[in-house]
Amino acid sequence: MRLVTIEDIRGAAGRIAADVVRTPLLPATWGDPDRPLWLKPENLQSIGAFKTRGAFNALGLLDPQVRARGVVAYSSGNHAQAVAFAAARYGVAAHIVMPEETPAVKVAATRAHGAQVVLCAAGERERVAAELVERTGGVLIPPFDHPAIIAGQGTAGLEIAEDLPSVASVLVPISGGGLASGIGTAIRALCPQAKVFGVEPELAADTAEALARGHLVDWPVAQRNRTIADGLRSTPSALTFAHLQHVLDGVITVSEGEIRTAVRELAHRAHLVAEPSGAVALAGYRRGTLPDGPAVVIVSGGNIEPALLGDILACG
C-alpha cells in the first residue's frame, strides 16, 4: 500500500492555494508555560472546517471531462459542505449523502452551496452513495479514504512546519483518520523532533483500540454515535490506518465533559467558535502528558448548532 508523501502534500498545497485559507497559528497565552499552546484555527476556513483542503485537492486532480459528470460524497457534515463548495467553484453538480442525525446547520449549509442532499439512516451512507454514483454517473469523493484527500488535509501540517519549525507536539482530532494521516505525514517529514498525537472521544475510541491491537476494530455505529462530537463518529479505513500506524506517537481519549469544557475554553479564552469535534484536540492537550516545548492544537471545525453552543456555554 502506497502512503502519501511530503511531495504529494506540497503538490496539493500549490493546487489548492487559491481556494483555501492559509490559517495562522494563534498563540494561546493561557496554556501550560512548559508546553506553550498554539491554535491552528481551521474553523476559519470558508465552510468552517479543514475539509476544504482535501475536497479542493481531490476535485482539482480529476480529469476535467470526469469532473464534468459531477461528484458524489457522503459525510456527517463538514466534508459534505466542502465538496459542495468545491463543486460549486468548479461549476459541476454535487449529490451529497448525509445521515439523518446530522445537525441541521450542516445540512442547510450543504444545500446552500447548491448540492442535492440525500438523507439516509445511520450506517447507510456508503450504500446510498454507491447507488447515486451508479444513477448519476458522478465520481465519488470519499471523506478520508483517498490519497488526494489525505494529501489535501496534510497541507495544514505543512503550514505548521513552516510557521513553527520548533514545534514539540501536534494534537489532531481523529475520526476517519484523513486529517491526522496528512498532518502526521507532513510533521514527520519536516519536524522529525515533534510528537504527533491523535485525540478522540472515549465514546468513539475505536482508533485507540485498533492501534493498541495492531489491526482495525469494528465499533458499531450506534456505539460511536453516543458522542457529542458528531464529526468524529467514523472509523479509519485500511488506508488511513496504515498512515496512522506510521505517523502517530499515541492517541489521547477524552470524556464528553472534557470536550464541552474545551468548547467553552475556546469561546471564552480564544474567542473562537468550535464544534465539539473541533475542540477535542484542546481537550487532549489538557488531558495528555506531552513533551516540553510548543504544542499545536488543531481546531478542526466550528459548525455547531446555535442551541447546542448556547447549552454548552450556559453550563460553564
Side-chain angles (χ1 to χ4, degrees):
M1 181 183 297
R2 179 185 178 275
L3 301 186
V4 167
T5 67
I6 189 61
E7 287 75 22
D8 296 323
I9 294 171
R10 286 187 170 125
R15 195 170 296 112
I16 69 176
D19 297 300
V20 305
V21 177
R22 193 192 191 286
T23 55
L25 281 184
L26 304 177
T29 56
W30 66 91
D32 183 339
D34 293 327
R35 300 164 189 83
L37 175 61
W38 296 79
L39 306 176
K40 180 71 168 169
E42 287 295 292
N43 58 321
L44 301 182
Q45 292 291 344
S46 300
I47 60 97
F50 73 93
K51 292 284 191 175
T52 48
R53 296 175 182 271
F56 271 102
N57 192 47
L59 266 75
L61 281 168
L62 291 175
D63 181 276
Q65 291 183 327
V66 174
R67 189 168 56 231
R69 301 203 307 258
V71 295
V72 175
Y74 56 86
S75 165
S76 61
N78 288 332
H79 178 67
Q81 294 176 66
V83 172
F85 179 53
R89 283 282 185 93
Y90 276 104
V92 300
H95 291 79
I96 312 292
V97 180
M98 307 180 78
E100 293 169 339
E101 68 269 18
T102 301
V105 65
K106 295 183 178 182
V107 176
T110 303
R111 287 178 170 146
H113 291 301
Q116 296 294 314
V117 174
V118 177
L119 298 178
C120 70
E124 292 292 308
R125 59 187 193 173
E126 290 92 341
R127 180 188 62 79
V128 175
E131 292 175 353
L132 279 171
V133 168
E134 182 69 21
R135 179 167 63 82
T136 67
V139 59
L140 180 67
I141 306 295
F144 52 84
D145 188 27
H146 196 287
I149 297 292
I150 295 171
Q153 319 306 24
T155 59
L158 187 65
E159 293 168 10
I160 292 169
E162 291 172 350
D163 292 346
L164 190 65
S166 63
V167 62
S169 55
V170 180
L171 293 93
V172 192
I174 292 184
S175 181
L179 181 63
S181 295
I183 288 179
T185 297
I187 296 299
R188 278 277 173 268
L190 302 176
C191 302
Q193 81 285 351
K195 303 293 186 183
V196 182
F197 298 95
V199 186
E200 61 183 352
E202 292 173 350
L203 296 183
D206 53 314
T207 302
E209 181 181 342
L211 288 171
R213 291 177 176 268
H215 59 79
L216 286 167
V217 297
D218 183 19
W219 282 34
V221 173
Q223 186 174 355
R224 288 181 269 120
N225 280 1
R226 296 173 301 163
T227 179
I228 192 175
D230 62 276
L232 303 183
R233 294 170 177 168
S234 294
T235 190
S237 66
L239 177 64
T240 55
F241 187 65
H243 283 80
L244 297 177
Q245 287 181 302
H246 183 65
V247 304
L248 289 187
D249 291 287
V251 177
I252 302 166
T253 60
V254 295
S255 71
E256 298 296 286
E258 288 170 322
I259 295 170
R260 287 173 175 267
T261 297
V263 171
R264 288 193 292 270
E265 184 175 347
L266 287 166
H268 293 312
R269 303 300 298 270
H271 311 294
L272 292 174
V273 173
E275 61 192 278
S277 305
V280 296
L282 179 59
Y285 171 84
R286 292 300 183 197
R287 163 72 77 89
T289 301
L290 305 175
D292 288 351
V296 172
V297 158
I298 310 298
V299 183
S300 58
N303 295 313
I304 184 171
E305 291 277 13
L308 176 59
L309 178 61
D311 175 69
I312 292 174
L313 295 180
C315 295

